[in-house]
Amino acid sequence: MPPNFIACRRPACALRLLLLTLAALLGACAALPPRGVVETSVAFNDTGSTTLALLAAASHPATEAPPSGFRLLPTGEFSFGARIALARRAERSIDLQAYHIHRDVAGRALLRELRDAAARGVRVRLLVDDYHVGDIEPLLVDLAAHANVEVRLFNPLPLRSGAPIVRLLMSPGDFERHNHRMHNKLFVADNAMAVFGGRNIADEYFMGHSEANFIDMDLIATGRVVQDLSRVFDRYWNSVAAWPLHLVQGRPDAADATAPERLDAELRDAAPTPAPYRTDPIGLTSVEAQLQQGRLVLHHASAQVFADPPEKAVDARPPSGPSAAMGGLLGVIGGARQSVQIISPYFVPGTVGMPMMATAARAGVRTVLYTNSLETTDEPLVHHRYSSYRVEMLRLGVEVHELSPGPVRRSLSFGSFGISTPRLHAKVTVVDGRYVLVGSVNLDGRSAVGNTEMALAIDSPALSAELRRALEGERTNIMYRLRLGADGQSIEWLSRDEQGQSQVSTEEPGSSAWLRFTLWLQSLLVEERLL
């Protein structure tokens, strides 16, 4: 897991100030070769006769219904299984867009499925942000040597070796542009079914890590929205920020006869642990099981895709306001009339979010926030900035809940964490019991102005009710509830022990004087918009 002092998920950090001189001296020799003319390609539109397209059609009601279908994937094992099920049934194409693919069991297992699909004649387009690509780049090189596979890196850094943060800081050129990363997550098979949401491709997102695992949310989709998502992928794939892997490496695009053997040796033992349960918290069987039965159980609804343009990553100028993805979500949230329930692991409301919550409070809109506690966050500096807004939020009447690790482990509602640390990573908002907003967008400055992001607004009271039932049922079991102390300045954390007895703490769980000091010191060196 990323160390506390340097947030590997968020490349801006305090060390930038200390390493600028060293970067100028040692990074000057690194440079990307000319990109030149890169061939464009787009999603196939003639896939209606594929197995997945026929299954999607069979899952659509016979009577007239909204154009797209959706199913929540709240557990890691079922979410990973959905990707595998689609990859194994793909006949024409797989398009995968990822911020981070780790060289662990999950990452290697998914690459194996891409290789096997390509061997069947499926066209595979893999677009990965370059920031975390160092450890898996050799596997990507060997995968790209296969027929039917093309790998591109988004916003590649000139320095090709070293830890991600070192590569960022020591790469010559414009730091602001290098610091803009592609945070989107998307998997599309045969332009007929898609999986999207908050999960990166690594063990900790699929309940496979021994130290910490994430509570996250993906959805599987069918229907018209899949074509909308494919158009987003195409725009990124064909953007000037997407570089073919062989060009980044500065070598000819030549087949390597030894690549298949090397890749097979790396991938043959990658076998994620199957889910130890038959149904998820919603009561649904796996996507694989439903596809075997000939149809998916879906909520059909209309949806709108909010996607940042890829050009956001290559424009070094600080934007004047939130871009398309964040702006779209804030527009839906700002239109709330009754309630807003926000799940955001990294929540820094800033000068935009606080006035919105104040306006909502004056209008009688109930606002509920679910986020990480200091004990569960993998980004303590982000939590430090968020914590400076808590008292004001509570005074506005915002209901604030923070994840509590012990009760999560006991609950088993999101899987068996064992002794690993549960962490919240889902980015979901429910507005007025009608709209479900889900995607890669964190409600913080980095998503607003730094990363490229994508999210959907789904108009589905049924899907909203499913999420709300889960939230309302679990918040008293796995969350601290925060309230103002009697002095109106301090905060109290309310929870329940193993016997169900109420407990109140006036000290922040997981905090210490040393941690508070180090976080304060770091906060002086990192702008809030970069968190």
Side-chain angles (χ1 to χ4, degrees), residues 257-268:
T258 63
E261 183 177 343
R262 286 198 306 269
L263 192 61
D264 182 65
E266 278 276 357
L267 303 183
R268 69 165 62 100

Side-chain angles (χ1 to χ4, degrees), residues 365-377:
V365 175
R366 177 190 179 216
T367 301
V368 187
L369 170 66
Y370 305 89
T371 192
N372 275 306
S373 64
L374 185 58
E375 291 177 293
T376 62
T377 186

Side-chain angles (χ1 to χ4, degrees), residues 309-345:
E311 292 77 20
K312 178 182 180 182
V314 296
D315 188 352
R317 297 170 301 174
S320 58
S323 55
M326 178 71 80
L329 294 191
L330 293 181
V332 178
I333 293 171
R337 295 293 177 266
Q338 299 171 345
S339 64
V340 178
Q341 293 175 290
I342 300 169
I343 307 172
S344 184

Side-chain angles (χ1 to χ4, degrees), residues 230-270:
S230 286
R231 282 189 285 272
V232 172
F233 181 92
D234 286 344
R235 185 171 180 183
Y236 275 80
W237 181 258
N238 295 313
S239 75
V240 296
W243 288 56
L245 177 58
H246 69 275
L247 290 181
V248 174
Q249 295 187 319
R251 63 174 179 78
D253 187 14
D256 183 346
T258 63
E261 183 177 343
R262 286 198 306 269
L263 192 61
D264 182 65
E266 278 276 357
L267 303 183
R268 69 165 62 100
D269 66 337

